[in-house]
Amino acid sequence: ALEALVDQAVVALERARLVEAAARDRARGEAEALRTALLTSLGHDLRTPLTVIRGAAETLRVSNLPEATRADLLLSIEEEATRLARWMSAILDIVRLETGQLTPRREPLALREALENAAARAEKIHPGRPVVLEVADGLPRPRLDPSLLDRVLENLVDNALKYAEGRVRLGARREGAQVALTVEDDGPGIPPADLPRVFDAFFRVHRPDSVAAGSGLGLSICKGLVGAMGGRIAAESPIAEGRGTRITLRFPA
Ligand code: ADP
């Protein structure tokens, strides 16, 4: 009987070693994939705005242009520089999250206020686009980092406004021991085959009309930030009549 037990233990140990090795391989594979994606993005997303900036600066220097054309060129320099700055802080966020160098604050947070701020900001940037709030009464105050949550909501609302046309809904409700925050739109949605990958860094849904420029980093940063605060993020699509996207954040209440 003892021998049989020892045999079983040996088998169990061997199995544990295999599982561990597989997990290590997977982690290495993911790190490798991220590095490749980062380098590809460095080559592409960095070069395009730099080319525009250099071209515009050179034109301004060598030609005698009418005032209006000069203003246009200066504007495109400013826009491309802003895009570069945004892209670089996204890359920095990814690296900080990957290396565990981001320690969120944890303070009781008023969810209604956080959603109201997100809606107010959206209305300032996209006036005329309705943002509807559906916040349950008497919600608990989960311990979260207010500025990180703001960034997540900002990203999600921006996506909803970018990819959809109608109204955007922001919701908060209790779900047992958790609180759920939702951002919903009635846009074209995300193809089912792409749904599992939308939180991967640099992943973008291929759209023939290529709605809007993006880096494919927004949702992966959201996932990292939510995870760092002890929560989870999920995407559902379609949500009604073949359309719409709902992103749900869940945190311990
Ligand atoms: P980006 O918007 O920069 O491409 P994201 O990481 O924010 O990157 O989103 C990844 C992809 O998921 C996008 O390319 C987009 O096609 C899709 N997506 C995200 N949010 C929505 C949404 N609300 N409706 C439809 N598609 C979306």
Side-chain angles (χ1 to χ4, degrees), residues 155-156 159-164 183-185 187-191 197-207 211-222 237 244-247:
N155 245 302
L156 298 177
N159 270 353
L161 291 166
K162 178 161 76 171
Y163 295 108
V183 179
E184 285 178 23
D185 64 65
I190 298 170
R197 296 170 63 199
V198 287
F199 295 110
D200 290 355
F202 302 105
F203 179 79
R204 303 204 71 211
V205 174
H206 177 72
R207 295 181 192 279
V211 190
S215 58
L217 290 175
L219 285 180
S220 81
I221 292 173
C222 288
S237 183
T245 302
R246 176 189 300 127
I247 309 285

